[in-house]
Amino acid sequence: MNKHKLKALILTVGAIFMAFLMVNVTSQAARMDMVDVSNNNGYMSTAEYTSMRNEFGVKALTVKVSEGTTFKDGYAASNIANGQAAGLYVNGYHFAHYKTKAQAIAEADFAGKTAKAAGLPVGAVLATDVESQEANNQSKATNDRNNVAFMKEIQKFGYRADIYTSGSWANSKMTIKGKTGWIAAYPYVVSGKNWYSTNHAWQWSSTAKFRISYGGFDVSQLNSNYYTAGQKSTVKPTNKGAVKANNQKANKNISKPSASAKWVKEAKTYTLKTAVKLRTGASTSSNVITILPAGTTVKTDHAIIQGGYRWVRQPRFNGYGYLATGPASNTLEYVKSGATHTYYAVKSGDSWWSIAQRNGLSMTTLASQNGKTIYTTIYPGQRLVVR
């Protein structure tokens, strides 16, 4: 065999081997079938959603619509419109705080009305996101009763119902039957895993990266067509004029961040000198989540100066909270930095619950002050702030 034929054969065999390897690697990895977004992700354009669809195989988008009976996600309308414009199946979710059947019905009514106003199409899924401290304090029977009440009520608005919760809560804190449910569980190594294959969806990461989008995203593998059924995009991404008009209509009441003010990464810990309002956004007009008393220690990850104040972002169990450290002329008037902490080294067999109980904290508080959620895996030797 001459050298040219031998070289061609080697290249052909090599190409076949690499193709085989790539197919096997891809087949073993969990898929990015669905992305879920909220105000925490900021403004998301049609171009970003189109990139997710074309480059990463995303099929569906689930948008946060509401929380409790007062919070309306300010980016829901643009997320729904832009996701549809990109050709994605669009669904919604409501972050639940209900403790009783009556509260569940009230929250469903609020979620349904808010979803309608934001443009969530009839036939979409509107899931109840059950992971709050309120649900943690209820019995399994109470959570089941409340979830059924919410789902029954939400169907009156023309939406299909489902439950989102963590793998540790599924069938312990509430019943999640086969062929239902959207379950969150994050393996340390995703390759080769196919968890919760009998449920509608498995959310396997909260830190997925996309090429033209900033930050980490929640991604899920779909195990049924429940989150892609009965919907069609009304605007083609290739029709630039229609997309532009659609975006302008969707975003007419949405305030975009000023181009002159940008969030910067800033991992700091502050102790409050005075009581400070923790808000849902970096604005004095944003809803108040709670009032943090003087002496509270707050761990933050980003900062910005806008609207006459210096704002910082606090990672929380169910998203983020925002608080002003002071007016722009005296940016640390309300806080002092450099707080000392007590740390705990995680031991084998420890859990968020056991460490929290040992230190007089709730699981959510412990996780939040360490910039994590109670679903984040902890490892022996890891240091956690407990004071």
Side-chain angles (χ1 to χ4, degrees):
M1 186 179 291
N2 64 43
K3 288 190 293 184
H4 292 294
K5 287 184 177 180
L6 178 60
K7 183 177 180 181
L9 179 61
I10 292 171
L11 290 173
T12 301
V13 172
I16 293 171
F17 175 76
M18 288 303 295
F20 173 80
L21 181 64
M22 290 303 294
V23 166
N24 276 275
V25 169
T26 303
S27 66
Q28 291 176 11
R31 299 187 307 272
M32 294 183 178
D33 293 329
M34 183 167 72
V35 174
D36 56 282
V37 296
S38 70
N39 57 299
N40 294 325
N41 299 104
Y43 176 78
M44 296 289 295
S45 67
T46 299
E48 289 178 279
Y49 288 133
T50 302
S51 171
M52 290 178 178
R53 184 200 66 189
N54 292 345
E55 298 178 41
F56 299 88
V58 173
K59 302 173 184 177
L61 175 71
T62 300
V63 175
K64 182 175 181 179
V65 170
S66 53
E67 181 173 339
T69 55
T70 57
F71 177 76
K72 300 178 181 180
D73 193 301
Y75 289 98
S78 62
N79 279 327
I80 291 167
N82 293 351
Q84 284 187 304
L88 298 176
Y89 296 98
V90 180
N91 305 285
Y93 76 90
H94 167 84
F95 191 93
H97 287 283
Y98 46 72
K99 296 184 287 187
T100 67
K101 181 179 178 180
Q103 290 173 352
I105 293 171
E107 288 195 28
D109 287 337
F110 176 71
K113 292 173 184 176
T114 304
K116 290 279 189 182
L120 188 68
V122 170
V125 176
L126 208 172
T128 177
D129 179 349
V130 188
E131 54 179 318
S132 69
Q133 189 61 47
E134 290 92 340
N136 191 32
N137 293 336
Q138 306 303 316
S139 67
K140 181 181 178 182
T142 299
N143 282 329
D144 285 347
R145 179 199 64 194
N146 296 344
N147 290 341
V148 168
F150 180 97
M151 292 191 291
K152 184 177 180 180
E153 188 72 9
I154 208 67
Q155 292 177 55
K156 295 178 181 178
F157 292 86
Y159 297 124
R160 293 177 295 125
D162 202 12
I163 302 172
Y164 168 92
T165 194
S166 72
S168 62
W169 282 23
N171 297 312
S172 61
K173 286 289 182 182
M174 67 201 72
T175 300
I176 305 292
K177 297 179 180 179
K179 298 182 179 180
T180 71
W182 172 20
I183 311 300
Y186 309 146
Y188 185 66
V189 177
V190 179
S191 180
K193 304 294 192 303
N194 187 28
W195 293 358
Y196 300 101
S197 59
T198 61
N199 299 106
H200 287 318
W202 166 40
Q203 186 187 88
W204 54 269
S205 178
S206 61
T207 57
K209 304 292 184 183
F210 293 97
R211 186 176 65 83
I212 65 172
S213 299
Y214 173 77
F217 290 82
D218 296 339
V219 293
S220 301
Q221 176 171 288
L222 298 179
N223 300 314
S224 74
N225 67 355
Y226 193 68
Y227 282 82
T228 58
Q231 299 180 69
K232 291 183 180 180
S233 174
T234 57
V235 180
K236 294 182 179 179
T238 52
N239 187 340
K240 294 182 179 179
V243 169
K244 183 178 180 180
N246 193 38
N247 290 353
Q248 288 176 340
K249 181 180 179 181
N251 300 327
K252 64 181 180 180
N253 296 319
I254 300 296
S255 298
K256 296 182 183 178
S258 169
S260 60
K262 294 184 178 180
W263 286 95
V264 295
K265 289 185 178 180
E266 183 192 72
K268 285 192 175 181
T269 301
Y270 298 98
T271 300
L272 304 187
K273 296 178 183 177
T274 183
V276 174
K277 293 178 180 178
L278 186 69
R279 298 180 180 273
T280 57
S283 168
T284 54
S285 62
S286 297
N287 291 338
V288 176
I289 299 172
T290 189
I291 298 177
L292 302 174
T296 300
T297 298
V298 179
K299 188 172 183 179
T300 66
D301 65 354
H302 283 74
I304 193 172
I305 294 178
Q306 65 179 14
Y309 291 89
R310 180 182 184 276
W311 295 89
V312 291
R313 188 178 78 170
Q314 178 200 34
R316 289 170 57 80
F317 167 60
N318 58 341
Y320 297 98
Y322 302 83
L323 65 149
T325 62
S329 59
N330 184 3
T331 57
L332 298 182
E333 181 176 333
Y334 309 148
V335 302
K336 56 184 178 181
S337 59
T340 58
H341 296 294
T342 300
Y343 291 89
Y344 174 79
V346 178
K347 297 179 178 60
S348 178
D350 277 341
S351 64
W352 285 115
W353 183 86
S354 64
I355 298 170
Q357 290 293 306
R358 201 176 299 137
N359 291 278
L361 301 169
S362 69
M363 287 193 298
T364 53
T365 298
L366 175 62
S368 177
Q369 69 187 24
N370 283 279
K372 304 181 186 301
T373 77
I374 63 172
Y375 305 134
T376 305
T377 303
I378 53 176
Y379 302 95
Q382 185 175 350
R383 293 210 317 160
L384 298 177
V385 176
V386 293
R387 289 285 186 278

